[in-house]
Amino acid sequence: PPPPPPPSPPPPPPPSPPPPPPPSPPPPPPPSPPPPPPLVDFPHNCFPGNSATNGGFMNGSGTTLYPYSAALAPYAPTDTTFTVNLTPNVACTSSDSVCCTPGATVYKIEFIINEGCRSSIDTITSTGPSQPLNPSYSRRFWHEPPAIWTSPRDPLVTAVPGLDDSGQSLDFTVTLKPNAPCKTVGEFLYEGRFWYAGFGVLGSNPHGCCGTALN
């Protein structure tokens, strides 16, 4: 009889599965937020320490062209209160500055405080003729800080408004909270010094007259 047929070859292996598709690219990043609005200096470029020679409000030199000066009364760094004395400059007349016209009044004092001292003020009182309003706290930015100033470019500032002195001398006293992070004057005022900016009313503009000093 004929020999048996050879065995059938084994079936071919099944085809390999197709390779997996490449991973999807990551989603695009979200669009960048719009840039913040430009930071500005104090009104009229008036900021504490702007001029080491300016004695008060307005932009005169020396002690001739300003209607008021502000000075910090003597204090010890461990004190919990400090007093600011506002004094009209009798030598300044309307021929020197529009801010020395009769009836010119103080409106606001702003001064620099240390970081972390926000809301440290307990009360602000005055002997009159007006009582200051409640203080506010904000951060200011200086595009062109004075040479005497080293840091920071965006100091924390307290504003004391409502200082209508009716052309007279005016004192106001700041009392710090006993449990505040900055409960002494040395802890509260930046460098323990009075970097201030003063604003006086000119017409209907409460910031119309401005000047600065360091003392």
Side-chain angles (χ1 to χ4, degrees):
S8 300
S16 300
S24 301
S32 300
L39 295 167
V40 297
D41 285 329
F42 282 56
H44 299 275
N45 291 322
C46 182
F47 48 84
N50 187 23
S51 169
T53 60
N54 185 5
F57 305 176
M58 197 57 184
N59 55 0
S61 61
T63 58
T64 57
L65 296 181
Y66 64 91
Y68 296 93
S69 63
L72 191 64
Y75 72 94
T78 55
D79 287 348
T80 57
T81 65
F82 63 92
T83 298
V84 177
N85 310 120
L86 290 168
T87 308
N89 176 17
V90 296
C92 188
T93 67
S94 57
S95 61
D96 298 317
S97 166
V98 292
C99 293
C100 291
T101 54
T105 59
V106 179
Y107 169 67
K108 179 175 65 173
I109 292 286
E110 296 185 348
F111 51 91
I112 301 176
I113 62 176
N114 281 313
E115 294 295 321
C117 294
R118 189 186 295 265
S119 301
S120 290
I121 293 177
D122 189 8
T123 61
I124 301 179
T125 57
S126 174
T127 55
S130 66
Q131 288 298 316
L133 302 176
N134 290 332
S136 62
Y137 304 85
S138 59
R139 193 170 295 281
R140 303 294 194 182
F141 186 86
W142 295 349
H143 293 293
E144 298 180 3
I148 191 175
W149 182 262
T150 55
S151 65
R153 291 290 295 273
D154 57 343
L156 184 61
V157 171
T158 293
V160 180
L163 300 175
D164 182 0
D165 65 339
S166 300
Q168 307 173 35
S169 296
L170 182 148
D171 299 342
F172 66 89
T173 298
V174 177
T175 300
L176 302 174
K177 296 176 181 177
N179 297 321
C182 306
K183 56 183 176 293
T184 66
V185 182
E187 296 169 337
F188 182 68
L189 294 177
Y190 184 76
E191 295 183 342
R193 307 167 77 184
F194 190 53
W195 296 85
Y196 84 89
F199 299 87
V201 178
L202 180 62
S204 60
N205 182 3
H207 302 104
C209 297
C210 176
T212 64
L214 163 65
N215 55 46

